[in-house]
Amino acid sequence: MKSLLHITNGDSFTERLKTLPFKGDIVTWREMLCEGKTLSSVGSESFWKTRFEFLNKNYRISKSWFVEKTLKEYRSLCSHKQQDQIVLWFEYDLFCQINMLAVLSWLKTYRRHAEISLVCSGKEDNTERLYGLNELSDEQLTEIYERRIILSQDDIEYADYVWQLYCSDNPMRLENLADFDSFQFKYLSEAIQAHLQRFPTIKNGLNAVENTVLGVAREQKPKSKRDLIGKILQNQGFYGFGDSQYERMITTLKPLFSSFNPVRLSTKGKAILEKRENYYSQLRDEDYYLGGALKYNFLYNTETDRILKL
């Protein structure tokens, strides 16, 4: 009888998975490696130290919370050594895809002999809509579980390679990846493209997500910051960010708003959104990492879709 381990993308889906008739233990991967500095050595002491420092500084995550929620669950993963089959439950977006790469890099090192399969939600019908796991019915979840993709050793090696590039100090190496279609990661190409668009644009110094924040504020005239975040969450495409990530972003852009109740852009905010002014010089001192690269050491050229190093 083969034993099974499920690794999920978060607490809410873990609770949902417990209600489904699938055998096996469940471990939750509680991280958001799409933000802040990452080291390629997933699970090492320096890896977790780097992550805690970022989360503590930017999201006020306490040490006790980090140990209880993230490290305890990671240790649970380490203690599951006997399972022959490991099923990963992740979604199409950048948030999930980067976590998935890290988990696969770890599995490549520590669970070389397990059969690893992937259940990845995204396009589940004939519309353009992309679905998260919790948006699917029990029947749909059962169906995508039964159709799960058994990853080959080549797939796992490739995921590890992309993870190493993500953790390198130069995103231009990621930009040159062209062989996504040779591997069984349906949404990885779009997720990496979304990642590259998080570097500041040449035209106004804000990245694609920050420009979306200002655009939604101007076009949709939200009644409050809460309303603004709700509207952004509906317009975010491949990012998969949560409320707290947008909350932090809005705080960084605060001088570009004249009010949050209702939400209105300042004169400077409008000028920057219209690309009549550039905000790069006000942001460039921020010591902020995306993976292994400093965000403000690179610019994104929206006309050529290429990254430039400063």
Side-chain angles (χ1 to χ4, degrees):
M1 181 73 183
K2 292 204 166 184
S3 56
L4 199 61
L5 174 68
H6 300 272
I7 302 176
T8 72
N9 67 333
D11 290 297
S12 60
F13 185 69
T14 291
E15 291 312 307
R16 176 81 184 281
L17 192 57
K18 287 175 183 172
T19 69
L20 297 168
F22 304 142
K23 292 184 170 62
D25 295 338
I26 305 173
V27 168
T28 309
W29 184 258
R30 290 197 188 105
E31 247 292 9
M32 53 172 204
L33 298 169
C34 61
E35 267 207 79
K37 189 166 189 182
T38 57
L39 303 182
S40 59
S41 54
V42 181
S44 67
E45 198 174 319
S46 53
F47 174 86
W48 290 123
K49 182 173 181 287
T50 300
R51 292 307 299 162
F52 171 68
E53 284 168 359
F54 165 74
L55 293 165
N56 177 255
K57 179 184 170 186
N58 291 278
Y59 290 96
R60 299 193 181 94
I61 298 292
S62 68
K63 193 155 203 175
S64 57
W65 191 98
F66 187 71
V67 168
E68 184 60 33
K69 294 289 186 184
T70 301
L71 287 186
K72 206 176 250 188
E73 203 66 5
Y74 171 69
R75 285 171 193 146
S76 170
L77 173 61
C78 293
S79 68
H80 283 84
K81 293 179 179 167
Q82 306 308 320
Q83 281 84 356
D84 325 283
Q85 296 181 326
I86 299 172
V87 182
L88 308 183
W89 295 82
F90 285 94
E91 297 171 7
Y92 62 88
D93 55 64
L94 175 72
F95 190 112
C96 265
Q97 293 284 300
I98 297 297
N99 282 343
M100 176 194 78
L101 293 176
V103 171
L104 284 167
S105 178
W106 187 87
L107 291 170
K108 172 183 174 277
T109 307
Y110 297 104
R111 297 291 181 271
R112 289 196 77 85
H113 304 296
E115 177 195 275
I116 298 166
S117 57
L118 175 63
V119 182
C120 188
S121 68
K123 285 184 179 164
E124 304 303 334
D125 53 30
N126 296 324
T127 67
E128 284 302 299
R129 183 153 176 229
L130 293 154
Y131 292 86
L133 289 165
N134 271 326
E135 296 177 289
L136 301 178
S137 67
D138 289 359
E139 291 75 19
Q140 286 173 305
L141 286 171
T142 302
E143 189 186 317
I144 65 170
Y145 175 69
E146 284 168 359
R147 288 192 282 111
R148 66 191 181 277
I149 295 159
I150 310 286
L151 298 177
S152 69
Q153 190 57 37
D154 283 352
D155 291 325
I156 295 162
E157 299 273 355
Y158 185 69
D160 176 57
Y161 174 62
V162 179
W163 171 249
Q164 306 294 327
L165 294 187
Y166 179 77
C167 296
S168 79
D169 62 3
N170 188 348
M172 294 162 90
R173 295 168 65 198
L174 268 181
E175 183 180 61
N176 293 324
L177 280 174
D179 50 356
F180 291 106
D181 293 345
S182 306
F183 302 93
Q184 300 187 86
F185 302 108
K186 188 174 176 183
Y187 302 104
L188 189 55
S189 171
E190 283 95 339
I192 295 300
Q193 190 54 40
H195 163 61
L196 295 171
Q197 290 177 1
R198 294 190 298 164
F199 290 92
T201 62
I202 293 171
K203 291 194 169 168
N204 68 356
L206 299 187
N207 68 18
V209 198
E210 292 155 348
N211 277 305
T212 295
V213 170
L214 296 190
V216 169
R218 184 174 69 174
E219 304 306 323
Q220 301 193 31
K221 299 185 169 44
K223 299 182 199 64
S224 62
K225 192 195 281 188
R226 184 83 253 125
D227 188 27
L228 170 61
I229 291 171
K231 286 176 162 48
I232 295 163
L233 289 170
Q234 293 168 353
N235 285 282
Q236 67 168 336
F238 264 89
Y239 287 98
F241 294 162
D243 299 28
S244 57
Q245 287 169 289
Y246 284 112
E247 186 85 49
R248 195 197 71 78
M249 202 177 292
I250 290 164
T251 302
T252 306
L253 301 174
K254 199 174 175 187
L256 305 184
F257 292 88
S258 58
S259 120
F260 283 112
N261 209 0
V263 176
R264 295 293 179 264
L265 294 184
S266 63
T267 306
K268 189 172 187 66
K270 288 174 189 165
I272 282 163
L273 181 60
E274 290 161 12
K275 303 178 177 60
R276 290 183 282 113
E277 286 187 34
N278 196 301
Y279 204 55
Y280 178 82
S281 60
Q282 278 89 336
L283 295 169
R284 70 175 173 209
D285 295 332
E286 215 186 289
D287 183 23
Y288 197 81
Y289 281 85
L290 296 171
L294 275 164
K295 177 176 175 182
Y296 294 101
N297 278 4
F298 299 89
L299 288 174
Y300 188 80
N301 184 340
T302 49
E303 289 177 5
T304 59
D305 288 330
R306 301 294 288 180
I307 296 262
L308 303 170
K309 185 167 180 11
L310 287 174

